[in-house]
Amino acid sequence: MKKIALHWKIIIGMVLGIIFGFIMNGISGGKVFVADWIAPFGKIFINLLKLIAVPLILASLIKGISDLKDISKIKTMGLRTIGVYMVTTIIAIVIGLTIVNIAKPGEGMPESTIEKIKLKYANDAGVADKLMKASAQKDAGPLEALVAIFPSNIFKSFVEVSMLQVIFFALFFGVCLLLIEEKKAAPLVHFFDGLNEVVMKMVDLIMLFAPYAVFALLANVIIAFDDIDILIKLLYYALCVVFGLVLMIGVYLLLIRIYTKKSPLWFLSRISPAQLLAFSTSSSAATLPVTMERVEEHLGVDKEVSGFVLPVGATVNMDGTSLYQGIAAVFIMQVIWPEGLTFSNQLVIILTALLASIGSAAVPSAGMVMLVIVLESVGFPAELLPIGLALIFAVDRPLDMCRTVVNVTGDATVSMLVAKSLHKLNTPKPKAWNDHYDTVK
Ligand code: ASP
């Protein structure tokens, strides 16, 4: 397996994992075997990625900011990043709404299918869990999200991996490092520079394990599918979401082509390991270290841009999620609440899906929690909510995998655009895990 490119190794791992999952699904005791003996390896991999997220954001952002030498650039970078994130998210929602209104996947769904889905999932613990989480989110005050960015105890933020709080601290620290005498700042700058190198090396080493980990992750996803019949009934809806997501990737490639003059294939071949991991883990947060490594070393984005744009993006920019929320909300309304499908309600969906994607956590299935809030914003009857979620529950995991790919690709794209606009896009210098190995072995 030595000479094959990393993304091919990961793809082979994924395909074998899917095949293995299907085989195990058909064997008695197979599911338990996968859950007990295979899935833990996927979990270990995700743990390792999460383990390095905080030191990576800290080191990369503090080092990046201290290299800036010009504080006003931070403001420009911040405003541009948020601006472009908003624009891409609105494009995504509009694409989603256009598709669902033209294709109408929810119209004409037979009563028998709705009944079957209702029976199977409306009282499911997974659906109840999403509703509960959504109501907790809803009860928060209007400025709660802002307050949550400012930590009172940075160690707590580290422990809880509160991404925005860690970013705030790193920015604050980096700026103050710029504001003190260079001589005094130097040891800390060197420290964070070294820390950044070490953590990047950790990403390289962890990635050696990626092809095996995705095998475990995908086998575990496949054993969770039980009712293929329901999956087939929801195929048209699922295809609408996937089609929208593919279009969104097209939008990114177009932006890359037009604004940075780079070839879309060049971009895809370099970012693909992060996309494949996003697909396998369904979590932009878990994928973040790999996204950062790919964007910095393989796409040539400077640390001060990637260190800010990517962690912020993993938390607030979820184009795939908002596109999905637009389609899913209208689909559910087409099936069980067609009278709610007014033009003004669709405008409300654009706004709330934008806010919901900002508020969604970068973890599996978070998009479905925020979907509840999108539905509530248009006055969707509360008693129909469990049925609404039940309708899309069976296909949520595969769609989550796909929308996470778009979320991660969107973050990488925006980091390229912002870097280009700040003249911070360089010739990439990829590093291998063993660059330095000969001198220490
Ligand atoms: N799983 C997605 C992410 O982590 C969020 C979601 O749409 O559920 O990016």
Side-chain angles (χ1 to χ4, degrees), residues 112 131 151 181 197 203 218-219 427:
S112 56
L131 288 169
E181 247 177 82
E197 292 281 319
V203 179
L218 285 175
T427 311

Side-chain angles (χ1 to χ4, degrees), residues 278 281-286 314 317-318 320-322 324-325 360-369 396 399-401 403-405 407-408:
T281 60
S282 282
S283 165
S284 348
N317 180 55
M318 299 199 180
T321 302
S322 45
Y324 153 85
Q325 283 165 341
S360 300
V363 297
S365 198
M368 217 173 148
V369 173
D396 189 61
L399 294 182
D400 192 3
M401 297 160 85
R403 64 190 189 241
T404 309
V405 173
N407 291 344
V408 166

